[in-house]
Amino acid sequence: MCWERVVTIEDFYDGPRGGVAFLNGRLHVFESVFDKARDEYSEEFNLTPIDEALLPLIEEKWKIWTRWATAYHAGKTSSDTNPALPADRPRHDELKATLDPLLVTDSAKAVRRLGEFRDVDIMGSDHDAEVRWSLSKDQK
């Protein structure tokens, strides 16, 4: 179990719930599993491998969002411009249209892991979160 890079955090609620990260050195989309019995998110995630060639586009889209977040927290833009500054909006929309259909969890290809995240600062431009994936107790 080593720490691996989290590329993006697209969904956050009491911790990362969805995004793109590495598992065993390979790029994956991750999505938190909702525990219906407890009526809350679990620490288990479904991870689906995705094409490594998407990484530059994913990183570009994330940089657009971090520029927006930095400006928002500096009081230079409002929340109604989220997730992109006006100058970045056209490119953001292109990237979103390209990436959204490709960044989905596929139950036929997904693996389930526990995720432990550290250095999560999704509101700053210095995003260097890491994750350590492990097998759940059921899988050991």
Side-chain angles (χ1 to χ4, degrees):
M1 294 188 324
C2 64
W3 291 99
E4 296 192 74
R5 179 175 166 225
V6 175
V7 180
T8 70
I9 298 172
E10 299 291 331
D11 189 13
F12 190 93
Y13 181 81
D14 290 339
R17 297 294 162 214
V20 176
F22 287 90
L23 168 65
N24 299 324
R26 187 153 180 233
L27 198 59
H28 286 71
V29 62
F30 68 89
E31 181 177 51
S32 182
V33 175
F34 191 80
D35 184 336
K36 291 179 185 174
R38 292 183 4 203
D39 194 33
E40 62 184 39
Y41 286 103
S42 72
E43 296 309 312
E44 288 190 307
F45 294 82
N46 288 322
L47 291 101
T48 302
I50 56 175
D51 187 344
E52 302 280 336
L54 296 175
L55 185 58
L57 298 177
I58 294 166
E59 289 175 327
E60 182 183 359
K61 184 174 174 263
W62 184 251
K63 286 177 185 173
I64 289 171
W65 185 84
T66 59
R67 280 195 296 273
W68 175 86
T70 299
Y72 175 75
H73 288 287
K76 296 179 180 177
T77 193
S78 64
S79 62
D80 61 326
T81 62
N82 188 9
L85 294 169
D88 287 331
R89 177 61 73 164
R91 181 62 177 153
H92 170 271
D93 292 348
E94 288 175 19
L95 291 166
K96 181 174 174 44
T98 299
L99 292 171
D100 280 3
L102 303 172
L103 301 181
V104 295
T105 302
D106 180 346
S107 59
K109 297 177 184 175
V111 296
R112 187 167 288 191
R113 296 288 185 269
L114 293 172
E116 177 187 354
F117 293 83
R118 71 177 181 188
D119 298 328
V120 175
D121 178 14
I122 66 165
M123 290 302 174
S125 60
D126 294 332
H127 175 78
D128 51 2
E130 294 178 307
V131 62
R132 183 164 46 192
W133 302 111
S134 61
L135 298 175
S136 67
K137 294 173 186 166
D138 306 3
Q139 297 170 316
K140 292 181 182 177

